[in-house]
Amino acid sequence: KQEVTQIPAALSVPEGENLVLNCSFTDSAIYNLQWFRQDPGKGLTSLLLIQSSQREQTSGRLNASLDKSSGRSTLYIAASQPGDSATYLCAAAPGKLQFGAGTQVVVTP
Amino acid sequence: NAGVTQTPKFQVLKTGQSMTLQCAQDMNHEYMSWYRQDPGMGLRLIHYSVGAGITDQGEVPNGYNVSRSTTEDFPLRLLSAAPSQTSVYFCAAGQGLSEQYFGPGTRLTVT
């Protein structure tokens, strides 16, 4: 069974610093990997989707990489802002989506 | 284009009551799924459907039923609510196993 791990569970950074969020998965035969953002009491917002044939995806200040051989994906958020404060979740899909527990990010002004 | 909608937003049930959580999507996506989110447990898949008339169990299906009579709707039924089903429920839709889009969630409390 695919297991997805996100470390650290929580992260606090000052505004302007770059954020690096890690996601590990045990089964390298994934179909794709998706990063989500969740604000308190809200649903999940899709940020980036990386297909298994891709190594990275970029959207604005966000960049996600995928290394299937090592079972890792990393989400980079450049020049963090207080509005980036949220919980970030990754989910791997070899079949059905398997979620990590998330990293709670606080960006302090 | 509303994406994925869920009703109700909040619900309180007594143990043993039944109810249906509604989920609808207007993107014509084949794949729909239900998750529950609990503190410390992350999101866990309850049931999913790959198209109208086809459903299957996920990781935590006990106590829940689903059906898929149309592409647009995928209701989740709780037959006899238990306190262990207190959770936040999310519905998602996607074109196959590509990008999944989530609804705003239903917060359910069973007393």
Side-chain angles (χ1 to χ4, degrees):
Chain A
K1 178 193 167 190
Q2 176 75 274
E3 292 186 6
V4 180
T5 304
Q6 291 185 250
I7 295 173
L11 185 61
S12 180
V13 299
E15 182 177 3
E17 194 166 296
N18 296 334
L19 279 164
V20 180
L21 307 178
N22 297 305
C23 173
S24 301
F25 47 92
T26 55
D27 187 348
S28 62
I30 62 171
Y31 184 80
N32 60 49
L33 189 134
Q34 194 167 355
W35 282 93
F36 296 89
R37 168 187 172 134
Q38 186 175 30
D39 294 291
K42 304 292 187 184
L44 279 70
T45 301
S46 178
L47 296 174
L48 289 168
L49 173 76
I50 312 175
Q51 301 285 1
S52 63
S53 58
Q54 299 173 316
R55 293 190 65 83
E56 66 177 342
Q57 276 284 356
T58 298
S59 176
R61 294 184 295 113
L62 276 59
N63 174 275
S65 65
L66 176 64
D67 184 344
K68 289 197 302 178
S69 61
S70 65
R72 295 181 65 176
S73 178
T74 303
L75 178 67
Y76 300 89
I77 303 178
S80 61
Q81 304 168 357
D84 294 328
S85 298
T87 296
Y88 292 83
L89 297 145
C90 67
K96 303 171 280 292
L97 277 181
Q98 189 69 35
F99 279 85
T103 296
Q104 187 175 6
V105 171
V106 174
V107 180
T108 56
Chain B
N1 193 341
V4 180
T5 57
Q6 292 183 239
T7 56
K9 286 187 169 50
F10 301 94
Q11 183 70 49
V12 179
L13 289 178
K14 293 189 186 325
T15 297
Q17 287 184 319
S18 63
M19 80 159 294
T20 299
L21 280 63
Q22 301 292 345
C23 174
Q25 54 111 354
D26 61 2
M27 301 175 287
N28 202 33
H29 286 334
E30 305 159 347
Y31 188 90
M32 295 187 74
S33 52
W34 277 101
Y35 290 84
R36 60 178 289 174
Q37 185 175 36
D38 303 289
M41 303 290 288
L43 279 118
R44 293 179 291 169
L45 182 65
I46 305 172
H47 284 286
Y48 67 98
S49 169
V50 298
I54 306 170
T55 63
D56 205 349
Q57 296 180 349
E59 184 182 351
V60 288
N62 292 342
Y64 307 96
N65 274 2
V66 292
S67 59
R68 183 101 177 266
S69 56
T70 67
T71 300
E72 294 78 19
D73 300 301
F74 191 41
L76 178 72
R77 280 183 289 278
L78 281 71
L79 303 177
S80 178
S84 61
Q85 294 178 304
T86 293
S87 187
V88 181
Y89 292 84
F90 290 102
C91 178
Q95 194 64 24
L97 290 170
S98 63
E99 193 166 6
Q100 299 295 306
Y101 299 94
F102 280 73
T106 293
R107 191 173 296 271
L108 176 68
T109 301
V110 182
T111 61

